[in-house]
Amino acid sequence: MGPLNGYTVLELAGIGPAPMGGMILADMGAEVIRIDRAGNAPGLHMKDVSTRGKKSVALNLKDPAGIETLLRMVENADVIIDPFRPGVCEKLGIGPDVCMARNPKIVFARMTGWGQEGPLAKAAGHDINYISITGALYAIGRKGEKPVAPLNLVGDMGGGGMLLVNGVLAALLEAANSGKGQVVDAAMVDGAAQLMWMFHGFQAIGMWDADQRGSNLLDGGAHFYDTYECADGEYISIGSIEPQFYALLKEKAGLSEDEFGDQNNPAKWPELKQKIADVFRQKTQAQWCELMEGTDVCFAPVLNFIDAPKHPANVARNTYIEVDGLTQPAPAPRFSRTSSEVRNAGSDAGADTLTVLADMGFAEQELEELQTSGAIS
């Protein structure tokens, strides 16, 4: 049933990190009710992995009756997820003060890029912008080349969705003791900054040069921590940082001690990188897998996300699942007693409106009136 069984989360429909956070909470057993716009086209969410395990209620939040319906739902909820820019919920009449007046224990979790305050708070932005001002984007890329966007994993997902879940869980724990809810201000720029914690420490002890991308230990500068092309055009990854792992790399790849013995001399890394690249081009990805995979070299083939579910390690661990024919990552983390699960695929917008509201105490006549007025659909 999941460790969050019994908790109810209202997720105002948004994109990116907020739906991801709702998905994780749903995987963990919470009843997550997505508040969609009334009148959304059918099938809109059916291939959206983030809608899995959720129910959908379609409300017209421009209609006072739709707002009142949401506030009555708040009375029955533990969490509300706000994915909008600062001030939008207040303008709609569903801000934290209003919601907490209806339910003092509600956790009002706000997910934004720049945060609820500051000079950029009301400006538009995307992942690439949020990670730009934290130093994360500057650090990613090849030496002498421009920064490379790491998909939208660092700002939206790691710095956003994961941070949101972390805040929600902490606030729920606190509310269980105090009986009081609170506002969680989860900002992607804050989360991305947190993800950079290690590099601040490295810089302070002289292990990193923040001005030089592609020249450091973990950014592809070191010959023993990078990706390499194979004879068949596929790629492998090497992460042989520790001396014992590096020694095994030299043994498995046939690298001479004379050439590759001085592992941690950055001045030699560019030369050694070229030499080891030549070595890896001599065998196919499959041949290198046969030689190194499963050893302490710290090795893995570089797979695209279509092939990743087929890898034997992922198959054995059930890292991926299939829901209504759509392959997707399985719930994580795993719990020994209260297992997470995906209860259903994504629902059409409004597919659960009547049943959810009836379960929350709305009378049949009320529901008919709300439908007729267009406040719900």
Side-chain angles (χ1 to χ4, degrees):
M1 296 289 288
L4 294 183
N5 180 47
Y7 287 92
T8 299
V9 178
L10 305 180
E11 177 197 315
L12 302 177
I15 60 173
M20 176 192 177
M23 177 190 74
I24 294 172
L25 297 173
D27 289 346
M28 291 181 180
E31 181 175 63
V32 179
I33 302 166
R34 181 180 172 106
I35 308 301
D36 282 304
R37 294 180 181 178
N40 270 355
L44 187 64
H45 306 306
M46 300 307 289
K47 297 298 183 182
D48 181 350
V49 172
S50 76
T51 65
R52 73 187 191 190
K54 302 176 184 177
K55 295 179 179 178
S56 174
V57 169
L59 302 179
N60 181 359
L61 296 182
K62 294 182 179 180
D63 185 324
I67 294 294
E68 177 59 26
T69 300
L70 178 62
L71 293 176
R72 285 181 60 181
M73 295 177 72
V74 166
E75 295 172 6
N76 294 276
D78 301 286
V79 180
I80 183 168
I81 297 176
D82 165 20
F84 304 137
R85 292 197 210 184
V88 171
C89 279
E90 284 82 351
K91 289 180 180 178
L92 288 171
I94 54 172
D97 292 344
V98 175
C99 289
M100 288 179 178
R102 293 293 188 101
N103 180 356
K105 203 173 178 180
I106 195 81
V107 172
F108 200 100
R110 316 195 84 161
M111 183 76 261
T112 61
W114 306 112
Q116 293 298 311
E117 54 202 22
L120 297 176
K122 295 190 177 181
H126 275 298
D127 178 292
I128 196 168
N129 310 122
Y130 311 136
I131 68 175
S132 291
I133 69 167
T134 64
L137 183 59
Y138 188 97
I140 301 171
R142 293 295 180 185
K143 184 177 182 179
E145 299 181 13
K146 68 178 184 177
V148 176
L151 303 181
N152 63 333
L153 300 179
V154 177
D156 281 356
M157 307 311 168
M162 291 292 190
L163 187 72
L164 177 71
V165 170
N166 189 41
V168 165
L169 296 180
L172 285 174
L173 283 171
E174 197 281 334
N177 292 324
S178 68
K180 298 178 181 179
Q182 60 183 307
V183 176
V184 177
D185 178 1
M188 288 171 250
V189 67
D190 296 345
Q194 279 198 334
L195 293 176
M196 292 295 289
W197 66 271
M198 179 184 288
F199 305 102
H200 288 273
F202 280 174
Q203 181 77 13
I205 61 175
M207 280 186 60
W208 200 271
D209 184 351
D211 293 325
Q212 298 294 325
R213 77 179 65 87
S215 302
N216 299 287
L217 177 64
L218 301 176
D219 63 1
H223 61 288
F224 51 85
Y225 196 92
D226 205 352
T227 59
Y228 291 97
E229 187 177 11
C230 304
D232 55 354
E234 300 295 333
Y235 289 82
I236 58 172
S237 64
I238 299 293
S240 309
I241 297 175
E242 291 79 0
Q244 67 273 27
F245 302 156
Y246 185 67
L248 188 59
L249 170 66
K250 289 186 291 183
E251 175 190 327
K252 295 288 186 180
L255 308 177
S256 71
E257 184 65 23
D258 287 343
E259 284 188 303
F260 288 89
D262 195 3
Q263 176 187 0
N264 293 307
N265 183 353
K268 290 189 174 182
W269 286 351
E271 175 189 353
L272 295 180
K273 185 182 288 287
Q274 184 58 55
K275 288 181 177 180
I276 200 172
D278 292 340
V279 171
F280 284 126
R281 288 194 195 96
Q282 294 172 12
K283 289 180 171 59
T284 65
Q285 183 190 72
Q287 289 173 321
W288 286 118
C289 284
E290 184 176 357
L291 188 64
M292 293 186 175
E293 195 164 25
T295 74
D296 281 353
V297 166
C298 299
F299 165 96
V302 177
L303 307 176
N304 64 39
F305 65 83
I306 302 300
D307 292 333
K310 307 168 191 172
H311 189 279
N314 292 331
V315 172
R317 191 166 164 77
N318 296 315
T319 301
Y320 293 86
I321 58 175
E322 189 173 291
V323 181
D324 282 2
L326 179 60
T327 300
Q328 54 197 267
R334 304 179 187 200
F335 300 89
S336 62
R337 184 171 51 82
T338 56
S339 298
S340 298
E341 63 179 359
V342 177
R343 288 165 291 187
N344 54 270
S347 298
D348 263 341
D352 308 294
T353 300
L354 297 180
T355 56
V356 167
L357 295 181
D359 288 344
M360 288 186 169
F362 284 74
E364 184 176 347
Q365 184 177 349
E366 286 183 287
L367 295 177
E368 290 177 359
E369 291 172 355
L370 289 169
Q371 275 188 305
T372 300
S373 70
I376 67 172
S377 65

Short mmCIF file of all heavy atoms in Angstrom, two decimals, residues 19 26 32 128 172 189 227 230:
data_model
loop_
_atom_site.label_atom_id
_atom_site.label_comp_id
_atom_site.label_asym_id
_atom_site.label_seq_id
_atom_site.Cartn_x
_atom_site.Cartn_y
_atom_site.Cartn_z
N PRO A 19 4.48 17.93 -11.11
CA PRO A 19 3.90 16.62 -11.39
C PRO A 19 4.83 15.46 -11.01
O PRO A 19 4.36 14.41 -10.57
CB PRO A 19 3.68 16.65 -12.91
CG PRO A 19 3.55 18.09 -13.24
CD PRO A 19 4.47 18.81 -12.30
N ALA A 26 2.43 9.68 -5.05
CA ALA A 26 1.43 8.67 -5.42
C ALA A 26 2.04 7.28 -5.40
O ALA A 26 1.41 6.32 -4.92
CB ALA A 26 0.85 8.99 -6.80
N VAL A 32 -3.24 10.95 -4.62
CA VAL A 32 -2.93 12.22 -5.27
C VAL A 32 -4.03 12.54 -6.26
O VAL A 32 -4.29 11.77 -7.18
CB VAL A 32 -1.55 12.17 -5.97
CG1 VAL A 32 -1.26 13.51 -6.65
CG2 VAL A 32 -0.46 11.86 -4.95
N ILE A 128 17.27 25.51 -17.63
CA ILE A 128 18.57 26.00 -18.08
C ILE A 128 18.92 27.34 -17.45
O ILE A 128 20.09 27.64 -17.19
CB ILE A 128 18.61 26.07 -19.63
CG1 ILE A 128 20.05 26.19 -20.11
CG2 ILE A 128 17.73 27.21 -20.15
CD1 ILE A 128 20.19 25.99 -21.61
N LEU A 172 5.02 17.16 6.66
CA LEU A 172 4.02 16.21 7.16
C LEU A 172 4.46 15.62 8.50
O LEU A 172 3.64 15.44 9.41
CB LEU A 172 3.79 15.09 6.15
CG LEU A 172 2.96 15.44 4.91
CD1 LEU A 172 2.95 14.27 3.93
CD2 LEU A 172 1.54 15.84 5.29
N VAL A 189 16.15 26.93 -8.15
CA VAL A 189 17.47 27.54 -8.03
C VAL A 189 18.11 27.14 -6.71
O VAL A 189 19.33 26.89 -6.65
CB VAL A 189 17.39 29.08 -8.18
CG1 VAL A 189 16.64 29.71 -7.03
CG2 VAL A 189 18.77 29.69 -8.35
N THR A 227 33.71 9.22 -20.76
CA THR A 227 33.11 8.27 -21.70
C THR A 227 34.03 8.13 -22.91
O THR A 227 34.74 9.08 -23.28
CB THR A 227 31.73 8.75 -22.17
OG1 THR A 227 31.86 10.04 -22.81
CG2 THR A 227 30.77 8.87 -20.99
N CYS A 230 33.77 3.26 -28.77
CA CYS A 230 34.26 1.92 -29.05
C CYS A 230 34.37 1.69 -30.56
O CYS A 230 34.00 2.55 -31.37
CB CYS A 230 33.34 0.88 -28.43
SG CYS A 230 33.09 1.09 -26.66
#
